[in-house]
Amino acid sequence: MKRSIYHLISMFLVLALIGPAHVAFAEDSVFLECGHVLRARAAAEGQGPVYQYAPDRKVDILHVAIDVTPDFKDRTVAGVTTIQFCPIAKELAELSLDAVDLDVTSVSSDAPMAGYNVTDKKIVVTFDEPVAVGRKTSLAITYEAEPQQGLYFRTPELGYNEEDMHLFTQGEAHKAPHWYPNYDYPNERSTSEVTCRVPQDMTVLSNGTLVCEKVDPSTGLKAVTWLQAKPHVNYLIALAAGHFKKIETRHGDIPLAFYTPASMIDLAENSFQDTADILAFYERYIGIPYPWNKYDQVVVKDFVAGGMENTTLTILTDRTLFPDETENIHSSQGLVAHEFVHQWFGDYVTCKDWSHLWLNEGFAVYYEKLYDGHKNGRDSMLYGFYLTAQGILRDRSNEKPIVWRHYDDAGEQFDYRAYSKGAWVLRMLSAELGEDLFRKCIKTYLERHALSSVTTPDLVSVVEELSGRSLDRFFDQWVYHAGFPKLTVSYKWSGVDKLAKVSIRQTQKVSDDVMLFHGHTKLRFVVHGEPVDKEIVIDEKEQDLYFPLEEEPAVVRFDPELTLLAKVTFNKPTAMLYAQLVDQNDVVGRRLAIEALKKKKDKKTVARLKAVLNADPFWGIRRAASQALREIHTEEAFDALAESMEQPDARVRRQVVQDVAGFYRPESLDLTKRVLETERNPEIVAAAIRNLGKYQMGGDGDLLIQYLKSDSHRSCLARAALQAMRMLHDPEYIEPLKETARDRHGSWPTWLFTAALDGLAHLSRDLDDKTTVREFLVGYASHPHRNVQVGAINALGTLGDPKAIPVVQTFLGEEPYDRIERAAKSALDKLQKTKELVPEEVIALRKLVDELRKDTQKLTDELEDVKKRLDAKETQGENDSEN
Ligand SMILES: [Zn+2]
């Protein structure tokens, strides 16, 4: 699964409005599950730390056949799920299946049953006589469901186009039981079959092979059946059905197709373009042919994540689609590669329990970056690993290891540890072994565990066997312990001895959780323009290393190949940074030089950064130079940016437009307006619109209203106008925003509509009378689309009108993981704080009035006093004059 930046934006409404720049993996997970984890939470309440393990498998599930008829109007499904199983080691008296809020109408079995019991989370079937070990048994459950998770409708009633109507599912981690019953844990695999009955003009997609498509004359519905004939885990069973269109191609024997909701098919090609090349690359690099029969990708509206790698059917967010006019600002390459490689890592082999999730996600992120290297070159790949590392190397109050069993909810495992740190573990392992041996080990690991579930020791044992290496320490420090090395590196040159001294200190706090690290890397000295590499081992708290060199090196680089995950502090003289800034063989070194040089303010540094912004061969470095000039923030830095706005690469051009607006001055507003007049790329126009939010323009306010009402790809101009309005905090925008949100509810994406509700609430916070806005928001609080509901409730919290408390209270409940109930709780907290503020304010005002009264009295007294004295003096004077 890919948790895209878009996904996080939709979840964190406020972040959506302040811009995506610093959104990283959230520490607190937004994936909320059910079933197994609830037991754990109960245990957590009072019984000490919880450890999570895969449950026992009492039976081997052989095959699951799901037959569902969705009702698009009611947003319900009627289903019959048939499960074939046999008891593993003990005769089976009862079988417990995961099933959330299913309305079960009948259960039948070919083994005589004593009865069954249905709870909100389970169906427990009791047999007359225990089922014998190894006896193949079949169980059929007939039910209806109104899924709140796991299966999602996109219908006109929820604000979507009729022509795009569809539904889709999301199983991982524990959402599948919301639409069919089964054993829901990835330590079990079975074949599966999905039949879906829909109107004849709809398309049905699922895992594996299309085996049957026929119209049932009694209902007029088309029944479409897909069979996944290779065993996979339950969370990978998927269904998408509705008004889709497709484009397709092949790679060898493998059909590749890309589906979108009907109205979006024109955008499909841009996102589909790399698919065949990605498959070819992975087959060659991994050395194992694509393990399934076909690969479909289907884009759905408002997907719950970035993408999901169901076997042979990946579901993708519609946010990945982009038109040509956005140039290279958007790309589906990373998402498509990530989900595709999951077909091997995650699907062909699957983590046995969530504590080993990195075996899915770390591999997906790592191979996604390898494809980037294949397509866009080594610099692009290295730069990707550099940026990924920056997301990991942050101070956290609570560092957890990658393999960690204390989670309360499986969703907590889907964070930077499984994804980016997992990928970095593989990068370091590849560096330890050498790429060829690494590839051989991974191929063997896949072959040996094909179509089964794995834990980290399965990987370790293959690598140790084939490499002869002892890797316990490697995995212990990186996977089973937390944290990363924090290194302070310093360098001294002794001209007399022609000796370079490099000192390395490990400064991370070593504890039971975080080890003193042991690692290999290199030092690179650039002498006479040539690199001189020295292998080093870091294994002590403090190390001094000496290297004889012919001449003083122009550059000293620590870890020049970027093969060690470490937070490195290495202060260097300016001359060395300048040399590093232009080293065309060292993209990461150039970036590190920019990071160091942006702390300087001198003209020479500005001139060099300007040269990099306009001439560096790698766009990421050019973009970083622009950001650095903004941070330097001198007159010269502004001029350097203003003179660098003509950038051929749209990614850099957008950055310069943003950075020019980082300077608050009339010229910056002028440049922004020029961009609005001349720029064609809507994403860059959007950046310029956001810039307007920094200026009280007077008279130009209409411009924002025009953009708010305009149509653009994914409403990027409207979103930017909303962000600018929010920054300006001008009540003038309240009415236009309210009207536009009401009119555009059907055509705006849901995330924009909910952002508009929150923006409206934000602008109205200081109004004396919030009644109209409150009533407007309350009108959406019971909307059938849960995202709209959550958005409206959040906005009521933002509005801060205590009169909304009784409404918000009606959404409170007992389920702490329900999104609506959580939104209500959070809004209520905010509203109660606002309410408490009122008496405090009154108290403060009373105090102030009392003080003023006292002051006034004092002044009056003093005035009286002065007056009396003056009178006395005047009398005296008069007397004097009289004298
Ligand atoms: Zn993933």
Side-chain angles (χ1 to χ4, degrees):
M1 175 157 54
K2 180 101 168 183
R3 298 179 55 180
S4 73
I5 201 159
Y6 309 115
H7 173 61
L8 289 161
I9 286 169
S10 73
M11 288 298 188
F12 298 103
L13 189 68
V14 175
L15 286 179
L17 285 156
I18 57 174
H22 301 289
V23 181
F25 290 117
E27 296 281 305
D28 55 331
S29 172
V30 291
F31 280 83
L32 302 163
E33 320 302 341
C34 57
H36 309 278
V37 296
L38 294 175
R39 294 196 307 271
R41 185 150 35 83
E45 287 160 6
Q47 289 171 35
V50 175
Y51 291 83
Q52 301 282 2
Y53 302 95
D56 288 336
R57 292 166 60 238
K58 291 182 177 155
V59 299
D60 184 9
I61 308 277
L62 306 170
H63 184 71
V64 54
I66 304 156
D67 186 329
V68 285
T69 307
D71 183 327
F72 283 85
K73 201 89 191 152
D74 269 5
R75 299 188 296 281
T76 55
V77 293
V80 182
T81 293
T82 309
I83 296 167
Q84 285 171 12
F85 65 90
C86 61
I88 292 176
K90 272 171 80 174
E91 58 179 19
L92 184 79
E94 60 176 38
L95 179 64
S96 171
L97 296 168
D98 298 294
V100 180
D101 295 332
L102 299 188
D103 191 359
V104 176
T105 50
S106 72
V107 179
S108 61
S109 173
D110 54 9
M113 285 167 37
Y116 64 92
N117 180 36
V118 181
T119 69
D120 288 351
K121 315 283 182 207
K122 296 274 179 188
I123 298 172
V124 182
V125 178
T126 312
F127 296 99
D128 249 350
E129 293 286 325
V131 182
V133 171
R135 185 198 147 168
K136 276 190 193 170
T137 310
S138 178
L139 186 71
I141 298 160
T142 306
Y143 58 95
E144 285 179 8
E146 188 184 338
Q148 302 299 310
Q149 299 180 58
L151 186 149
Y152 305 83
F153 286 93
R154 297 298 179 238
T155 63
E157 290 74 18
L158 298 178
Y160 297 91
N161 290 345
E162 177 88 39
E163 68 161 325
D164 287 340
M165 184 158 72
H166 60 275
L167 66 80
F168 62 85
T169 64
Q170 165 62 27
E172 195 180 25
H174 291 292
K175 293 196 174 81
H178 288 261
W179 69 282
Y180 67 90
N182 199 4
Y183 174 89
D184 188 40
Y185 208 87
N187 62 343
E188 170 63 58
R189 299 175 90 90
S190 74
T191 54
S192 72
E193 194 179 317
V194 174
T195 300
C196 184
R197 296 162 195 275
V198 293
Q200 292 172 37
D201 58 349
M202 284 189 171
T203 302
V204 173
L205 303 169
S206 185
N207 318 84
T209 311
L210 178 64
V211 289
C212 178
E213 186 168 327
K214 63 170 188 272
V215 174
D216 177 347
S218 64
T219 59
L221 295 176
K222 177 172 73 172
V224 183
T225 301
W226 290 84
L227 171 70
Q228 176 51 277
K230 292 183 179 178
H232 61 160
V233 301
N234 191 54
Y235 76 73
L236 294 172
I237 294 177
L239 168 66
H243 295 142
F244 296 116
K245 288 190 173 168
K246 76 165 165 175
I247 55 174
E248 57 194 325
T249 185
R250 297 184 78 82
H251 173 74
D253 295 339
I254 307 296
L256 306 168
F258 194 96
Y259 293 81
T260 71
S263 73
M264 302 171 125
I265 193 66
D266 290 348
L267 299 171
E269 186 55 41
N270 282 338
S271 297
F272 187 47
Q273 60 182 334
D274 293 324
T275 303
D277 188 49
I278 288 169
L279 175 54
F281 172 74
Y282 287 142
E283 285 200 323
R284 185 173 58 73
Y285 193 88
I286 297 169
I288 291 185
Y290 179 66
W292 314 95
N293 66 309
K294 57 102 178 168
Y295 189 64
D296 287 337
Q297 296 168 86
V298 58
V299 164
V300 299
K301 290 218 168 188
D302 290 331
F303 189 45
V304 294
M308 180 63 210
E309 68 276 14
N310 314 294
T311 55
T312 77
L313 176 61
T314 281
I315 299 181
L316 299 172
T317 170
D318 57 334
R319 293 167 196 222
T320 197
L321 301 175
F322 60 93
D324 292 342
E325 63 262 28
T326 56
E327 300 171 72
N328 58 11
I329 282 181
H330 297 290
S331 166
S332 296
Q333 178 205 304
L335 177 62
V336 170
H338 178 107
E339 304 306 339
F340 211 152
V341 83
H342 266 313
Q343 297 292 321
W344 286 265
F345 305 103
D347 293 4
Y348 195 45
V349 299
T350 309
C351 64
K352 186 185 111 182
D353 70 53
W354 304 117
S355 67
H356 294 274
L357 178 66
W358 80 282
L359 297 174
N360 294 6
E361 298 302 345
F363 277 82
V365 174
Y366 181 67
Y367 283 80
E368 169 197 330
K369 302 253 177 282
L370 293 187
Y371 178 73
D372 184 50
H374 164 76
K375 184 170 184 223
N376 301 312
R378 184 176 151 77
D379 278 2
S380 183
M381 181 189 73
L382 282 177
Y383 205 70
F385 278 115
Y386 168 81
L387 294 179
T388 304
Q390 299 318 299
I392 305 166
L393 304 172
R394 293 191 286 125
D395 288 325
R396 294 181 178 82
S397 54
N398 177 19
E399 277 284 357
K400 302 166 198 160
I402 289 178
V403 173
W404 186 65
R405 295 192 177 277
H406 287 290
Y407 61 85
D408 197 11
D409 184 294
E412 292 166 41
Q413 290 297 88
F414 289 76
D415 66 7
Y416 76 96
R417 294 168 300 128
Y419 286 78
S420 42
K421 196 173 177 189
W424 255 96
V425 168
L426 294 171
R427 177 160 179 78
M428 291 188 284
L429 184 62
S430 177
E432 285 279 338
L433 301 175
E435 192 179 7
D436 289 347
L437 181 55
F438 173 82
R439 286 171 63 183
K440 187 177 163 199
C441 290
I442 301 304
K443 180 170 183 264
T444 309
Y445 158 76
L446 281 172
E447 284 166 346
R448 200 168 288 178
H449 299 286
L451 298 171
S452 67
S453 297
V454 285
T455 56
T456 307
D458 295 322
L459 174 67
V460 178
S461 82
V462 171
V463 178
E464 289 200 331
E465 182 188 319
L466 268 62
S467 69
R469 295 279 304 273
S470 164
L471 289 162
D472 290 334
R473 176 164 58 189
F474 177 91
F475 284 96
D476 214 16
Q477 68 187 16
W478 290 116
V479 176
Y480 294 103
H481 281 75
F484 46 82
K486 294 180 184 174
L487 306 177
T488 304
V489 180
S490 59
Y491 153 79
K492 259 189 196 150
W493 173 251
S494 162
V496 181
D497 307 319
K498 296 211 167 186
L499 209 56
K501 177 187 177 188
V502 176
S503 304
I504 300 166
R505 308 272 176 272
Q506 288 200 46
T507 63
Q508 75 276 7
K509 193 167 178 288
V510 175
S511 65
D512 285 350
D513 298 328
V514 180
M515 294 172 72
L516 187 72
F517 281 83
H518 177 284
H520 298 95
T521 184
K522 282 178 192 170
L523 287 166
R524 176 167 296 164
F525 303 95
V526 180
V527 182
H528 299 311
E530 291 297 321
V532 178
D533 285 0
K534 304 286 180 186
E535 303 273 348
I536 59 169
V537 176
I538 296 168
D539 57 355
E540 292 174 45
K541 198 153 178 54
E542 301 194 352
Q543 288 170 271
D544 292 329
L545 308 166
Y546 296 88
F547 305 93
L549 297 170
E550 281 180 21
E551 284 302 329
E552 182 174 4
V555 175
V556 181
R557 282 274 285 117
F558 175 85
D559 189 31
E561 310 282 350
L562 196 69
T563 55
L564 182 67
L565 180 65
K567 186 168 189 163
V568 180
T569 307
F570 187 178
N571 294 321
K572 298 177 182 183
T574 306
M576 196 178 274
L577 294 173
Y578 285 164
Q580 200 172 305
L581 183 66
V582 293
D583 186 343
Q584 301 303 299
N585 298 315
D586 187 5
V587 69
V588 174
R590 300 205 296 282
R591 173 67 195 249
L592 293 172
I594 290 173
E595 292 305 309
L597 287 169
K598 74 184 183 190
K599 294 174 188 125
K600 301 183 184 297
K601 302 264 178 200
D602 60 286
K603 297 189 185 79
K604 201 171 165 189
T605 299
V606 168
R608 283 171 191 251
L609 287 171
K610 184 185 174 190
V612 169
L613 166 57
N614 288 290
D616 194 280
F618 184 66
W619 68 273
I621 296 296
R622 299 200 294 279
R623 190 170 72 172
S626 174
Q627 290 167 320
L629 286 166
R630 174 189 183 152
E631 286 188 44
I632 288 174
H633 219 79
T634 59
E635 284 296 315
E636 292 78 16
F638 178 79
D639 293 343
L641 286 167
E643 288 157 17
S644 305
M645 296 191 75
E646 303 288 323
Q647 292 289 338
D649 188 305
R651 294 166 291 193
V652 185
R653 195 158 79 250
R654 178 169 66 167
Q655 188 64 49
V656 179
V657 167
Q658 287 169 351
D659 289 331
V660 157
F663 292 77
Y664 191 80
R665 56 180 68 198
E667 301 93 306
S668 168
L669 182 57
D670 292 344
L671 288 169
T672 288
K673 285 184 176 169
R674 201 159 79 209
V675 172
L676 290 175
E677 283 159 17
T678 57
E679 178 62 55
R680 316 293 279 183
N681 186 322
E683 290 293 354
I684 299 176
V685 174
I689 294 171
R690 273 189 289 273
N691 291 353
L692 294 179
K694 293 178 183 152
Y695 296 90
Q696 297 296 337
M697 294 162 294
D700 285 351
D702 288 353
L703 199 59
L704 291 184
I705 296 169
Q706 276 172 35
Y707 282 123
L708 185 73
K709 292 177 190 287
S710 70
D711 290 311
S712 53
H713 174 62
R714 293 203 58 74
S715 307
C716 68
L717 302 185
R719 177 178 172 227
L722 174 64
Q723 289 169 316
M725 287 177 176
R726 201 176 157 114
M727 280 190 267
L728 289 168
H729 203 70
D730 185 340
E732 284 288 299
Y733 295 122
I734 293 174
E735 267 312 305
L737 181 52
K738 187 150 67 75
E739 272 171 36
T740 315
R742 186 193 290 125
D743 297 347
R744 290 298 181 115
H745 182 196
S747 55
W748 273 354
T750 312
W751 57 266
L752 179 60
F753 179 72
T754 54
L757 295 185
D758 202 66
L760 181 64
H762 183 81
L763 292 177
S764 312
R765 278 187 314 183
D766 303 331
L767 292 183
D768 290 334
D769 184 1
K770 304 185 178 84
T771 310
T772 327
V773 175
R774 186 186 73 241
E775 284 173 353
F776 180 76
L777 297 174
V778 167
Y780 293 100
S782 298
H783 194 271
H785 197 316
R786 287 171 68 84
N787 292 5
V788 174
Q789 249 190 303
V790 170
I793 294 167
N794 282 332
L796 284 169
T798 304
L799 182 65
D801 182 352
K803 287 185 184 140
I805 289 177
V807 178
V808 172
Q809 274 171 333
T810 63
F811 296 98
L812 292 176
E814 296 294 310
E815 179 49 75
Y817 286 161
D818 181 275
R819 288 174 57 219
I820 291 170
E821 292 179 21
R822 282 193 312 152
K825 172 87 179 62
S826 153
L828 199 63
D829 288 349
K830 285 187 197 164
L831 291 170
Q832 268 158 353
K833 271 189 198 134
T834 325
K835 201 177 172 189
E836 283 159 15
L837 278 179
V838 177
E840 265 175 32
E841 274 171 7
V842 172
I843 291 162
L845 270 174
R846 275 193 200 126
K847 210 173 145 194
L848 189 69
V849 170
D850 284 343
E851 276 165 11
L852 281 171
R853 197 181 286 142
K854 276 182 206 157
D855 287 348
T856 313
Q857 190 57 51
K858 203 175 151 204
L859 279 172
T860 313
D861 291 346
E862 281 172 2
L863 201 65
E864 278 300 318
D865 192 36
V866 170
K867 237 168 131 185
K868 276 177 196 163
R869 278 192 278 157
L870 212 61
D871 286 348
K873 218 174 176 183
E874 273 170 14
T875 314
Q876 181 73 44
E878 278 164 21
N879 291 347
D880 286 349
S881 64
E882 277 175 17
N883 289 339

